[in-house]
Amino acid sequence: MSPNSTAHQAEAPSPHDPDERGHFGPYGGRFMPEALIGALDELTAEYDKARLDPEFTGEFARLLRDYAGRPSLLTEAPRFAEHAGGARVFLKREDLNHTGSHKINNVLGQALLTKRMGKKRVIAETGAGQHGVATATACALMGLDCVVYMGEVDTERQALNVARMKLLGAEVIPVKSGSRTLKDAINEALRDWVTNVDTTHYLLGTAAGGHPFPLMVRNFHKVIGIEARAQILDLAGRLPDVVTACVGGGSNAIGIFHGFIDDADVRLVGIEPGGHGIESGEHGATLSEGSPGMLHGALSYLLQDEDGQTVEAYSISAGLDYPGVGPEHAWLKDTARAEYRSVTDDEAMAAFKLLSRTEGIIPAIESAHALAGALKLGQELGPEGLILVNLSGRGDKDMDTAAKYFGFYEES
Amino acid sequence: MGLATLFEGTRAEGRAALVGYLPAGYPTVDASIELLKGMIDAGCDLVEVGVPYSDPVMDGPVIQAAAVEALGNGFRLRDVFRVVEAVSAHGGKAVVMTYWNPVHRYGVDAFSRDLAAAGGLGIITPDLIPDEAAEWMTASTEHGLDRIFLVAPSSSDERIASTVKASSGFVYATAVMGVTGARDAVGSAAAGLVARTRAHTTLPVAVGLGVRSGAQAAEVAAFADAVIVGSAFVTRAASGVDSVRELAAELAAGVRKAPTPIG
Ligand SMILES: Cc1ncc(COP(=O)(O)O)c(C=O)c1O
């Protein structure tokens, strides 16, 4: 399939689109200050035009191919699969994209839209730093000013990505409020947006937020699933039994899930961060453990207390350390089209090391959650099973966390 | 209803109303009650009782810090009813200002019922737009509460029209694009926004965001039906009731300096 027709297919209106005001069932919508509604309306109108405009989809496809390096590979992981009950395991290699994760897909799409809207300044939030790096990259490419908000805790655990963003010309603002992680970086970016909305596009990094973000971000990532479906049919000769991905805000998962959403026999399994274990209360398993509520502009599942105060999430992985989740996942959960479970920090780190040592691929710790999920799913499916894992990013950024976790610094 | 009477009164006096904001539970529940009573005694025609919330995206540093402190001191959502009840018993008028998730979690109908029982007059909803407010429309009607939605300089005329149609009591015009916080100059966009809003409604229009002095209050009172003051009161609250009363008195004099434009 040509990149052009892939992009065209990804953007085409579908029965899985939300209603006009962005509702997936009861979820989604816009729980946003009136001051931002004008900007969301402008963005919706521009996106609705662009998604049907061959000039836009063509330019997007060209950037995905010539700049991001798509299509990304599909790699079988047989030595890893020996630990997964003997099921066959295929990895969708989003780690091989330019900047090292799936995030670049959405960023290129939104940066193109920013230019169409005539805005010159882009703001973004980042957790792991992958979205911040991707945004800084696209802004460098397209000559846009870039400001990235990042929780102070994350600037420490992802110092390498802070340096990358600075090198790319972005201003990185450490956020010192609240939990000093992704949630608070989004709060701070929203405060900037409401102040500077005339000149500024908020380039949200996941399939959450007020309408049209969940729809638009999903569509920019659909390319993952469309490619993967064709590739696995080609390499394995059949559809997978299970497609699995990690879920932070839900963008890489929704992108790969949509390639298979109409294949009723393909199970879609999202893996959430179980942190120190669900019983410990220190986790980020929003869909598994949360309840309906609004955060950052949409009704979805949320980690909250009895009074509706957001509860801080925890994960060893900065990119999954978020108490909310995109609204379409809430709907997929309630309709049972997708399942959501969690794996702990320790299980994720074991899978992180295992993939490194069996396949020579160092995954992002976020993606290692999906790998840990795949190990369990493989045990459940047995040798006949076929599992597709979204390897959403590479692990270079995580070396400091990993070296500390495994005690490499003490050994040397 | 209470808010209609209030604005009839201030219009008869040919002046704008003074509306003061303070988060419930800041610094503690009991202390916030004393502060609010002081604000009323010194000239606030209406108080906005804020609900401290974990993710106040519309608020600047002063109100953020107050919310953190109130929550740290053990504020629970149900305390807001105790605060409103105390204000009402003191002879004051109160509306609640809250981000929507706490209300959603409590149950929109249950929250409305308990607020009305405490003597509250309505809710200001900074992150709930009429498009998403079906449940609140029903509950507010059922329990006789006013719905105070916001309009902003970025609102289209079409949105202003639909927002004021869904509103009751008064309309909250955010004077500047930005978060809460005292400013040296009140946005020049404010007067224009009030005029655009008046084209669609006879409801009183209140202007908030940024006012901190008697002179600014007078400036806003020249074109608005009410002047809303938030962060400046919260800053004063740290130094106690006398400081809050002093500001309320200065602002109350301010709203009496300028003749209100409509009768
Ligand atoms: C490599 C990688 N995977 C996954 C995520 C989680 O985000 P999402 O759930 O939106 O895919 C991140 C976020 O930073 C990431 O960097």
Side-chain angles (χ1 to χ4, degrees):
Chain A
M1 194 180 295
S2 82
N4 262 349
S5 69
T6 304
H8 192 68
Q9 187 186 334
E11 301 304 329
S14 105
H16 302 289
D17 285 356
D19 74 14
E20 228 176 50
R21 291 187 297 122
H23 298 104
F24 298 90
Y27 299 108
R30 283 180 180 168
F31 293 88
M32 283 281 207
E34 170 63 24
L36 289 174
I37 300 298
L40 292 170
D41 278 343
E42 180 192 8
L43 184 61
T44 305
E46 196 65 47
Y47 176 65
D48 283 347
K49 266 187 281 167
R51 66 189 291 199
L52 300 173
D53 179 354
E55 209 171 299
F56 178 83
T57 52
E59 176 69 357
F60 182 42
R62 189 190 66 75
L63 283 170
L64 289 178
R65 184 191 63 212
D66 299 343
Y67 190 72
R70 303 204 72 93
S72 66
L73 296 177
L74 188 73
T75 304
E76 183 160 15
R79 280 174 31 80
F80 178 80
E82 286 171 20
H83 302 263
R88 290 183 79 182
V89 175
F90 286 80
L91 309 175
K92 180 59 176 163
R93 301 291 305 281
E94 293 300 297
D95 61 316
L96 296 178
N97 295 337
H98 180 45
T99 71
S101 81
H102 71 289
K103 299 281 180 188
I104 193 74
N105 304 327
N106 166 49
V107 162
L108 289 172
Q110 285 197 51
L112 279 178
L113 271 183
T114 306
K115 283 192 22 182
R116 275 175 79 109
M117 290 186 292
K119 292 186 171 178
K120 299 267 182 295
R121 178 174 179 265
V122 164
I123 56 173
E125 83 296 339
T126 197
Q130 291 302 96
H131 175 60
V133 167
T135 304
T137 299
C139 288
L141 176 70
M142 299 190 199
L144 300 165
D145 292 336
C146 181
V147 174
V148 179
Y149 290 93
M150 187 170 191
E152 201 177 36
V153 170
D154 295 334
T155 59
E156 285 156 21
R157 60 181 161 177
Q158 306 285 344
L160 178 66
N161 272 343
V162 174
R164 290 168 81 195
M165 288 183 267
K166 288 185 176 168
L167 182 63
L168 290 160
E171 183 187 351
V172 180
I173 301 183
V175 175
K176 297 178 184 0
S177 58
S179 58
R180 295 177 296 133
T181 60
L182 184 56
K183 162 177 94 76
D184 303 282
I186 297 178
N187 289 346
E188 218 42 52
L190 284 169
R191 291 182 186 119
D192 179 317
W193 203 29
V194 79
T195 309
N196 300 300
V197 67
D198 280 349
T199 58
T200 301
H201 175 62
Y202 180 12
L203 208 161
L204 184 68
T206 191
H211 178 64
F213 283 105
L215 165 71
M216 178 176 73
V217 175
R218 173 193 86 186
N219 286 354
F220 290 149
H221 282 304
K222 266 184 170 178
V223 60
I224 306 171
I226 295 171
E227 286 176 7
R229 189 175 187 280
Q231 288 167 320
I232 202 153
L233 283 174
D234 194 31
L235 292 181
R238 71 170 177 100
L239 289 173
D241 299 303
V242 180
V243 177
T244 188
C246 66
V247 180
S251 69
N252 88 89
I254 206 74
I256 198 162
F257 284 0
H258 264 272
F260 302 88
I261 196 136
D262 293 322
D263 299 313
D265 293 338
V266 178
R267 283 169 61 197
L268 308 174
V269 181
I271 307 293
E272 300 193 294
H276 292 136
I278 298 299
E279 338 62 68
S280 73
E282 294 174 7
H283 60 80
T286 308
L287 289 155
S288 315
E289 298 297 319
S291 54
M294 35 301 259
L295 176 67
H296 298 145
L299 177 65
S300 183
Y301 277 67
L302 176 65
L303 296 176
Q304 59 184 329
D305 70 12
E306 240 184 283
D307 283 353
Q309 309 286 352
T310 310
V311 170
E312 287 176 13
Y314 162 78
S315 171
I316 191 171
S317 145
L320 303 182
D321 196 347
Y322 182 56
V325 69
E328 192 174 2
H329 285 290
W331 182 231
L332 292 178
K333 174 187 160 82
D334 283 11
T335 56
R337 178 60 191 98
E339 312 153 46
Y340 299 88
R341 356 167 136 183
S342 64
V343 302
T344 63
D345 283 1
D346 289 342
E347 290 167 323
M349 292 311 287
F352 177 88
K353 193 190 237 179
L354 184 66
L355 190 76
S356 302
R357 297 201 170 172
T358 54
E359 302 289 346
I361 297 171
I362 301 175
I365 297 178
E366 289 79 16
S367 321
H369 284 71
L371 292 164
L375 292 174
K376 291 191 190 172
L377 286 160
Q379 300 292 343
E380 292 163 24
L381 293 171
E384 302 302 313
L386 179 58
I387 302 174
L388 170 63
V389 182
N390 199 13
L391 199 76
S392 56
R394 68 177 186 228
D396 310 41
K397 69 183 175 61
D398 295 315
M399 277 312 109
D400 187 52
T401 304
K404 283 181 186 140
Y405 182 89
F406 294 117
F408 293 160
Y409 289 141
E410 285 116 75
E411 283 167 23
S412 53
Chain B
M1 269 190 299
L3 287 174
T5 326
L6 189 165
F7 285 103
E8 274 162 29
T10 54
R11 281 179 177 183
E13 288 176 34
R15 67 171 177 95
L18 174 62
V19 181
Y21 166 92
L22 198 79
Y26 176 69
T28 63
V29 176
D30 288 335
S32 66
I33 290 173
E34 292 315 308
L35 290 164
L36 285 159
K37 284 183 187 169
M39 286 161 70
I40 291 158
D41 293 343
C44 284
D45 300 293
L46 176 69
V47 288
E48 275 179 33
V49 179
V51 171
Y53 176 54
S54 53
D55 295 276
V57 295
M58 278 293 281
D59 285 305
V62 170
I63 294 178
Q64 281 178 49
V68 168
E69 191 171 333
L71 291 170
N73 289 338
F75 171 84
R76 294 296 312 267
L77 186 55
R78 58 175 176 270
D79 294 330
V80 78
F81 304 123
R82 178 149 79 85
V83 174
V84 168
E85 202 163 46
V87 167
S88 309
H90 190 69
K93 290 183 161 64
V95 292
V96 161
M97 174 141 183
T98 181
Y99 291 91
W100 201 242
N101 194 53
V103 180
H104 177 260
R105 178 72 168 161
Y106 193 90
V108 176
D109 187 71
F111 191 93
S112 303
R113 178 198 63 210
D114 292 353
L115 178 59
L121 302 178
I123 311 182
I124 302 173
T125 53
D127 64 349
L128 182 72
I129 55 173
D131 320 44
E132 299 284 356
E135 222 183 331
W136 167 227
M137 299 297 284
T138 308
S140 52
T141 305
E142 168 83 23
H143 299 286
L145 295 173
D146 278 317
R147 297 179 293 269
I148 301 121
F149 292 109
L150 280 66
V151 293
S154 60
S155 302
S156 64
D157 287 333
E158 213 180 337
R159 283 203 62 81
I160 290 176
S162 61
T163 301
V164 299
K165 211 170 139 219
S167 304
S168 64
F170 64 94
V171 180
Y172 190 130
T174 50
V176 288
M177 291 300 289
V179 295
T180 55
R183 289 172 171 81
D184 286 334
V186 180
S188 57
L193 174 60
V194 171
R196 287 206 294 138
T197 306
R198 290 204 198 284
H200 299 280
T201 184
T202 55
L203 281 174
V205 182
V207 168
L209 288 199
V211 175
R212 67 173 184 190
S213 69
Q216 285 175 326
E219 198 186 312
V220 173
F223 59 83
D225 299 295
V227 180
I228 301 173
V229 179
S231 298
F233 274 121
V234 178
T235 302
R236 292 286 185 110
S239 1
V241 181
D242 288 344
S243 176
V244 162
R245 293 176 63 111
E246 187 184 70
L247 176 64
E250 179 190 331
L251 296 165
V255 298
R256 284 168 174 80
K257 257 184 216 150
T260 194
I262 56 157

